[in-house]
Amino acid sequence: MELYFLGTNAGVPTLQRNVTSIGLRMLDERRALWLFDCGEGTQHQILSSPLKLSKLEKIFITHLHGDHVFGLPGLLSSRAYQGGTTPLTVYGPPGTERMIKTTMELSQSHLNYDLNIVEHTGGIVFEDDSFVVEAALLEHRIDSYGYRVTEKDRPGSLDPAKLAAYGLKPGPLFGRLKRGEPILLDSGETVRPEDVLGAPKRGMVITILGDTRPCANVQPLALNADVLVHEATFMHDLADTAHEYYHSTSIEAAEAARAANVGQLIMTHFSSRYKDEEQLQPLLEEAKSIFPNTRLADEHQLIPVVHREQDSSPSD
């Protein structure tokens, strides 16, 4: 899995940064792309990226402020022209369906693929055999949600020595064991998957938060995540401003990462008062003083998701 930031600015785009949209590319896991938010200009950003709308499977909307959704009608309308004809599901807070359907109706846009819209107020919003996605309400001026994406543990690798002990050779039986099915040998002996598989491979956990100021639901969403994507709209000298406008500072993002025992913190959603990377460095330095494994989100750069080092418990 890899994260790709299509926009990292708060409120309005600048010449250096676009507004919020984050891609989660899962080519190995399900040959799919998921998007989190779709600010104005997202489809244009995708044209300059390695992401493919033909792979787009799901869009998760954190909240309905314009810098997070104004790119949605255009992307949905033109997706098919970029090879996207498979079904697409959009998840979002109440009002998402009305916004999309009203825009499509008034613009007389016609989609040649199935579009499903799922509104939610938190809880498990999606689950299949491989992934579960949970949402929880954050604290913002309108309802804003964070998402926790959990990849379910996968079976371990087949152990060649154990397979040889049963006289098993490469073939279809290997696939059945990998799928969790027991097999019956000619001798009448049953071989169970756990007899020949190594330890399960732990799945990844990625937490992506919408706009928020510090609140109680951040920690359960982020607990022991491999990666936490957290807004850091302001430096901490503007903590009062951040609180007034329902945003977070770099130090507050770092404190959340430390409390939740995450592997890596990626900060995004920067105020346009910070014009370039040089002006963003103080935010990074503030956060790293609290949580060293912090980075700034870079637009148009793939960031591999890696397992966090195992630890006993969150910090106090």
Side-chain angles (χ1 to χ4, degrees), residues 28-44:
D28 292 338
E29 294 78 12
R30 59 195 298 131
R31 301 192 62 78
L33 167 68
W34 291 0
L35 282 184
F36 291 81
D37 285 336
C38 190
E40 181 182 0
T42 292
Q43 66 169 316
H44 192 268

Side-chain angles (χ1 to χ4, degrees), residues 228-248:
L228 167 62
V229 179
H230 196 303
E231 70 134 285
T233 307
F234 300 105
M235 284 185 63
H236 203 65
D237 62 348
L238 293 173
D240 290 344
T241 300
H243 185 80
E244 179 183 356
Y245 289 97
Y246 291 84
H247 287 297
S248 297

Side-chain angles (χ1 to χ4, degrees), residues 215-226:
C215 66
N217 277 341
V218 170
Q219 183 162 356
L221 279 170
L223 187 63
N224 295 329
D226 296 293

Side-chain angles (χ1 to χ4, degrees), residues 23-295:
L24 178 59
R25 193 168 76 162
M26 301 181 289
L27 298 185
D28 292 338
E29 294 78 12
R30 59 195 298 131
R31 301 192 62 78
L33 167 68
W34 291 0
L35 282 184
F36 291 81
D37 285 336
C38 190
E40 181 182 0
T42 292
Q43 66 169 316
H44 192 268
Q45 292 286 86
I46 288 175
L47 292 174
S48 302
S49 81
L51 306 183
K52 304 297 181 185
L53 286 180
S54 60
K55 301 292 185 184
L56 182 59
E57 180 186 36
K58 299 181 182 298
I59 301 175
F60 297 88
I61 299 299
T62 63
H63 64 295
L64 297 178
H65 274 157
D67 58 319
H68 294 255
V69 297
F70 280 170
L72 193 55
L75 184 144
L76 295 177
S77 297
S78 61
R79 173 177 177 254
Y81 295 103
Q82 298 184 45
T85 57
T86 54
L88 173 64
T89 303
V90 178
Y91 302 82
T96 301
E97 182 172 16
R98 181 159 61 98
M99 181 198 70
I100 292 174
K101 288 190 172 180
T102 299
T103 305
M104 293 296 162
E105 178 184 349
L106 293 177
S107 63
Q108 298 188 25
S109 299
H110 303 285
L111 307 182
N112 61 349
Y113 58 86
D114 291 334
L115 176 65
N116 304 303
I117 303 171
V118 178
E119 295 188 341
H120 68 81
T121 55
I124 295 176
V125 300
F126 168 74
E127 184 171 12
D128 65 6
D129 292 340
S130 302
F131 284 87
V132 58
V133 181
E134 303 163 86
L137 186 64
L138 303 172
E139 193 169 310
H140 194 47
R141 290 188 292 118
I142 62 173
D143 285 356
S144 178
Y145 288 85
Y147 292 98
R148 179 182 176 94
V149 179
T150 301
E151 180 188 21
K152 296 181 179 180
D153 291 347
R154 292 167 290 165
S157 300
L158 292 168
D159 187 316
K162 293 179 179 179
L163 292 166
Y166 286 104
L168 290 168
K169 297 180 179 180
L173 295 181
F174 280 23
R176 290 177 56 187
L177 288 166
K178 284 284 288 183
R179 291 193 297 271
E181 302 173 14
I183 61 172
L184 183 65
L185 302 181
D186 292 340
S187 64
E189 183 179 8
T190 298
V191 180
R192 299 165 300 174
E194 57 265 34
D195 296 330
V196 293
L197 291 174
K201 298 177 180 177
R202 182 172 68 86
M204 297 288 189
V205 178
I206 300 169
T207 300
I208 299 176
L209 303 183
D211 291 3
T212 188
R213 60 188 182 188
C215 66
N217 277 341
V218 170
Q219 183 162 356
L221 279 170
L223 187 63
N224 295 329
D226 296 293
V227 176
L228 167 62
V229 179
H230 196 303
E231 70 134 285
T233 307
F234 300 105
M235 284 185 63
H236 203 65
D237 62 348
L238 293 173
D240 290 344
T241 300
H243 185 80
E244 179 183 356
Y245 289 97
Y246 291 84
H247 287 297
S248 297
T249 69
S250 52
I251 282 184
E252 288 168 340
E255 289 173 340
R258 182 176 64 179
N261 192 40
V262 306
Q264 183 183 33
L265 168 65
I266 305 177
M267 298 191 303
T268 187
H269 199 268
F270 309 118
S271 168
S272 57
R273 70 179 60 219
Y274 309 112
K275 302 300 183 185
D276 52 33
E277 294 302 310
E278 182 178 351
Q279 293 187 12
L280 285 173
Q281 285 306 304
L283 280 81
L284 180 60
E285 292 166 7
E286 282 189 338
K288 293 184 79 166
S289 71
I290 303 293
F291 189 78
N293 196 15
T294 300
R295 67 177 294 166

